[in-house]
Amino acid sequence: MSNASESTEPSVAPRRPTRAVTVRWGGHAVQIGGGAPVVVQSMTNTDTADPDATAQQVRELWDAGSEIVRVTVNTPDAAAQVAPLRERLDRMNVPVPLVGDFHYNGHKLLTQFPECAQALSKYRINPGNMGAGKHRDDNFAQMIEVACRNDRPVRIGVNWGSLDQILLAQMMDENAKRAQPLGANAVMREALVVSAISNAQRAEELGLSGNAIVLSCKVSHVQDLIAVYRNLSQRCDYPLHLGLTEAGMGSKGIVASTAALAVLLQQGIGDTIRISLTPEPGGDRAREVVVAQEILQTMGLRAFTPMVVSCPGCGRTSSTVFQELAADIQAYLRTQMPVWKTKYPGVETMNVAVMGCVVNGPGESRHADIGISLPGTGEVPSAPVYVDGKRTVTLKGDHIAREFQAIVENYVARRYGHEPVPDLVAEPAARHPGVVARSAG
């Protein structure tokens, strides 16, 4: 028999215990692992050799909520501009830590451009792209030496598209000699895990602190990613960076990333995430930040911005009013968050409902902190507003969207800012034409 005092509420598994890795710039620090909230990060797609364009995109990603931003460092020109990029960001009051993404020549760039090594807060090393044999070992050691000298953490990021071919061939040969050989995919997944852990151990042997290492084993398919990270999480206590390496474009990329990461996060696996979406031509790079935040927020792991609940619509809602209002309110809330997050602590947990008819509208609106139930096709043209579960006012006329936004502003200021804002119900007509007052009881 279960203990009656035990909670029956569904919840995610306890977070996997890990070491804590701190990524900092100046007085701004972000902790990965060690019980810290799951960190959201992203990556620029500008040419790092253009510090103006890159600084602008980093600023946009930071404003959207990216807590760490990675930049490509692939050429001497790019490496030479990392320090000027950092200076621009500091002048823009953007303290986000920058991670340098290195492949093939990172050992050369970090030593030839010491100011680059100092301006970066963390280095991403791909052991599969560092040469072979003694060259590989020497190049890896050189990068770890720079990290130790500058007191910088590293992410050892293994990728199935650039997996150490010598290691993979060796493991394939060993597998072929088994009485019951594993499938090729299973061997590849094991090689990813072995590569990540063995390189982390090698980094510690070279003098890097065990609290300065984050691991990732990225693949492109959902089931492979889940299997690899379950295995990896059982065999080490380094914090883990989650993400499909090439998630794809649009809804496919969002669905694939959500399907994979939600399973792992639900099991307590993962300390920082990046959603690797292929942007639409001319699309907003910050979309991947929003998706990462929404995965964490809808799972109840973190809160970033007030969430809007809205119905999908049906034959009762042939009007597009509720769709437009839901989109406008969601965009308005996200736009306000850069200011609200410091002015109104806790506002990120607010729930707003924008419903399209009387079937579920009143009930969903009551469950939200603040909600509106718009009239469906053929219904009375009025929109009751619910605040903290109570019906307060009814909006009518052509300016419902504007009036509801004003009510939301009023609510935020009163509840989260403790400001002496006049109660909407007390004098609605004077401030909001078209508002019909009702008792709050």
Side-chain angles (χ1 to χ4, degrees):
M1 181 178 295
S2 63
N3 190 329
S5 65
E6 292 180 358
S7 173
T8 59
E9 290 296 317
S11 63
V12 299
R15 292 284 301 284
R16 162 183 166 269
T18 72
R19 312 179 194 201
V21 175
T22 301
V23 185
R24 67 175 72 250
W25 181 253
H28 182 76
V30 178
Q31 181 177 314
I32 301 174
V38 179
V39 173
V40 172
Q41 58 179 284
S42 56
M43 184 176 185
T44 59
N45 60 358
T46 54
D47 184 352
T48 310
D50 182 346
D52 290 328
T54 305
Q56 179 58 35
Q57 190 171 84
V58 172
R59 172 71 178 265
E60 292 167 359
L61 293 169
W62 165 257
D63 286 344
S66 184
E67 294 157 303
I68 295 174
V69 175
R70 183 159 41 116
V71 299
T72 298
V73 188
N74 58 334
T75 65
D77 287 342
Q81 292 302 324
V82 170
L85 166 64
R86 181 72 264 176
E87 292 170 1
R88 282 169 171 75
L89 292 171
D90 291 344
R91 290 197 299 269
M92 296 163 68
N93 195 28
V94 178
V96 63
L98 295 179
V99 179
D101 192 65
F102 295 99
H103 297 271
Y104 310 110
N105 59 356
H107 58 291
K108 294 181 180 179
L109 297 177
L110 283 172
T111 53
Q112 292 173 2
F113 296 90
E115 66 280 7
C116 169
Q118 294 164 8
L120 293 169
S121 298
K122 181 164 163 269
Y123 313 145
R124 187 279 177 120
I125 302 175
N126 183 342
N129 285 340
M130 302 196 68
K134 186 176 185 306
H135 289 296
R136 176 206 172 280
D137 293 341
D138 290 346
N139 296 344
F140 183 82
Q142 202 169 343
M143 293 190 74
I144 296 301
E145 180 185 346
V146 174
C148 292
R149 186 166 61 245
N150 289 284
D151 191 25
R152 296 295 191 266
V154 303
R155 170 162 69 95
I156 296 176
V158 182
N159 190 303
W160 76 336
S162 53
L163 182 58
D164 184 338
Q165 292 303 299
I166 294 177
L167 171 65
L168 181 59
Q170 176 187 337
M171 294 183 64
M172 285 291 188
D173 289 342
E174 293 172 355
N175 180 62
K177 297 174 184 176
R178 297 174 55 148
Q180 294 182 321
L182 300 173
N185 259 17
V187 177
M188 182 208 67
R189 292 194 296 265
E190 175 65 10
L192 286 165
V193 174
V194 169
S195 178
I197 294 176
S198 63
N199 279 285
Q201 293 171 340
R202 172 68 173 147
E204 289 199 61
E205 291 170 0
L206 291 167
L208 188 65
S209 167
N211 289 93
I213 299 173
V214 177
L215 297 186
S216 67
C217 290
K218 289 196 171 184
V219 299
S220 294
H221 300 307
V222 170
Q223 295 297 344
D224 285 324
L225 190 83
I226 294 170
V228 166
Y229 275 92
R230 281 175 172 167
N231 188 351
L232 182 62
S233 69
Q234 293 169 1
R235 292 163 64 174
C236 72
D237 64 351
Y238 299 107
L240 302 181
H241 170 117
L242 302 186
L244 290 170
T245 187
E246 288 98 15
M249 180 180 285
S251 60
K252 185 269 177 184
I254 294 172
V255 170
S257 295
T258 305
L261 270 59
V263 171
L264 292 167
L265 291 167
Q266 184 72 14
Q267 295 173 355
I269 299 169
D271 304 284
T272 178
I273 65 173
R274 189 249 170 143
I275 308 301
S276 300
L277 296 180
T278 303
E280 305 286 346
D284 185 3
R285 187 66 167 179
R287 179 79 183 281
E288 65 178 44
V289 178
V290 174
V291 173
Q293 291 178 333
E294 290 179 346
I295 290 173
L296 295 174
Q297 185 151 353
T298 55
M299 292 186 68
L301 296 173
R302 290 191 66 181
F304 299 93
T305 189
M307 297 293 284
V308 174
V309 174
S310 57
C311 63
C314 65
R316 290 175 172 270
T317 55
S318 57
S319 168
T320 62
V321 173
F322 85 96
Q323 301 165 15
E324 294 164 357
L325 179 56
D328 289 346
I329 288 296
Q330 182 71 76
Y332 163 74
L333 294 174
R334 186 164 288 278
T335 299
Q336 294 297 105
M337 277 310 294
V339 174
W340 281 2
K341 65 184 178 182
T342 54
K343 188 176 181 181
Y344 301 126
V347 69
E348 66 275 6
T349 64
M350 182 175 71
N351 292 306
V352 181
V354 178
M355 304 302 294
C357 76
V358 298
V359 174
N360 292 320
E364 287 284 1
S365 296
R366 287 191 185 94
H367 289 312
D369 294 307
I370 184 168
I372 185 170
S373 181
L374 294 161
T377 305
E379 294 177 5
V380 176
S382 61
V385 174
Y386 297 82
V387 176
D388 293 329
K390 298 180 180 180
R391 183 172 175 175
T392 56
V393 298
T394 299
L395 305 182
K396 295 183 178 182
D398 298 327
H399 304 290
I400 288 177
R402 187 179 66 197
E403 293 160 1
F404 182 63
Q405 181 173 307
I407 293 172
V408 172
E409 291 175 355
N410 180 288
Y411 179 79
V412 168
R414 283 185 300 145
R415 177 170 176 180
Y416 300 99
H418 309 293
E419 297 180 5
V421 180
D423 192 339
L424 176 66
V425 181
E427 43 179 343
R431 293 183 292 109
H432 297 281
V435 177
V436 178
R438 287 183 60 89
S439 167

